[in-house]
């Protein structure tokens, strides 16, 4: 009985295929979190309060907020505070940091609250999303309490650090308060 040895072409083909598969696997693993970070950044960029996102200019924010019935209550070169009923919106820029804060009783401005809660759902659905807490990303029936405080922190391409905090508290009268703090810091120039 003579055993047949594989030809050089067959050995080379098997080795090449394994090498290609290994390289594909090797290349995709390190970039998975970077892709998740970009998804978080995209969700943050899409979030708007009264037509204002964190990358809007100070003039755009002032124009949009006043057109939505907010009044300017305090202003400085670094930021401006707007109020409308039980809602407060703060927008600012300082050096390499942009900031947007929102606080509201949900019965006052449900449209903005819904935008924030939809963004929370989007952020929770992203794998490796930089989430620091857990309760707000659980389904409503599985949450330990109806109140939550969710924080997402990601860095995109070592260029921008995104920090998003979404908090909800329930009052004894059945209303809820919703808070958003969104900070984007440019890490390199």
């Amino acid at each position: 009985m003579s055993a047949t040895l594989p030809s050089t072409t067959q050995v080379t083909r098997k080795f090449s295929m394994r090498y290609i598969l290994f390289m594909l696997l090797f290349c995709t693993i390190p970039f998975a979190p970077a892709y998740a970070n970009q998804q978080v950044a995209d969700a943050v960029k899409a979030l708007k309060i009264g037509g204002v996102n964190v990358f809007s200019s100070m003039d755009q924010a002032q124009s949009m907020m006043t057109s939505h019935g907010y009044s300017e209550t305090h202003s400085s070169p670094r930021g401006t505070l707007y109020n409308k009923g039980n809602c407060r919106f703060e927008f600012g820029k300082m050096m390499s940091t942009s900031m947007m804060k929102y606080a509201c009783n949900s019965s006052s401005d449900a449209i903005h609250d819904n935008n924030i809660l939809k963004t929370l759902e989007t952020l929770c659905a992203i794998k490796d999303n930089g989430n620091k807490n857990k309760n707000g990303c659980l389904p409503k029936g599985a949450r330990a309490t109806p109140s939550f405080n969710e924080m997402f922190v990601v860095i995109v391409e070592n260029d921008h650090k995104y920090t998003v905090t979404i908090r909800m508290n329930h009052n004894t009268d059945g209303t809820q308060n919703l808070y958003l703090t969104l900070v984007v810091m440019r890490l390199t120039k």
Side-chain angles (χ1 to χ4, degrees):
M1 288 188 154
S2 66
T4 58
L5 296 173
S7 69
T8 307
T9 306
Q10 290 173 327
V11 171
T12 305
R13 194 175 291 150
K14 284 182 182 179
F15 177 75
S16 296
M17 187 58 83
R18 285 183 185 152
Y19 179 76
I20 290 169
L21 290 173
F22 175 75
M23 289 308 294
L24 285 172
L25 179 65
F26 180 74
C27 289
T28 57
I29 290 173
F31 298 113
Y35 177 67
N37 289 358
Q38 187 61 54
Q39 288 179 303
V40 171
D42 292 344
V44 168
K45 291 174 190 175
L47 175 62
K48 293 185 178 183
I49 303 294
V52 178
N53 75 8
V54 74
F55 293 106
S56 296
S57 70
M58 295 292 282
D59 290 337
Q60 289 169 328
Q62 196 263 347
S63 173
M64 294 302 290
M65 295 314 289
T66 55
S67 71
H68 282 90
Y70 282 78
S71 59
E72 188 176 314
T73 58
H74 175 74
S75 184
S76 75
R78 292 188 255 173
T80 305
L81 181 64
Y82 302 91
N83 284 325
K84 176 183 174 184
N86 294 329
C87 298
R88 184 178 71 245
F89 178 77
E90 187 176 354
F91 185 81
K93 296 193 176 282
M94 187 174 79
M95 296 171 63
S96 59
T97 303
S98 298
M99 177 270 305
M100 189 165 84
K101 291 183 180 181
Y102 174 78
C104 195
N105 177 318
S106 66
S107 61
S108 300
D109 215 339
I111 293 171
H112 300 322
D113 290 1
N114 288 337
N115 288 344
I116 293 169
L117 293 175
K118 284 179 185 174
T119 299
L120 176 63
E121 287 178 21
T122 301
L123 292 171
C124 287
I126 298 169
K127 187 176 179 184
D128 298 324
N129 58 15
N131 190 356
K132 300 294 182 189
N133 306 316
K134 297 295 177 200
N135 195 42
C137 284
L138 296 174
K140 286 184 182 179
R143 293 179 186 162
T145 65
S147 299
F148 59 82
N149 183 18
E150 287 299 330
M151 178 183 275
F152 303 85
V153 179
V154 295
I155 295 176
V156 179
E157 297 178 359
N158 295 324
D159 190 35
H160 284 87
K161 178 180 179 182
Y162 293 78
T163 305
V164 184
T165 303
I166 299 174
R167 182 170 49 116
M168 182 184 288
N169 295 334
H170 287 267
N171 302 319
T172 54
D173 64 359
T175 60
Q176 61 190 22
N177 296 326
L178 188 64
Y179 304 90
L180 166 76
T181 302
L182 174 55
V183 178
V184 177
M185 182 183 299
R186 186 168 180 82
L187 301 175
T188 59
K189 295 184 179 189

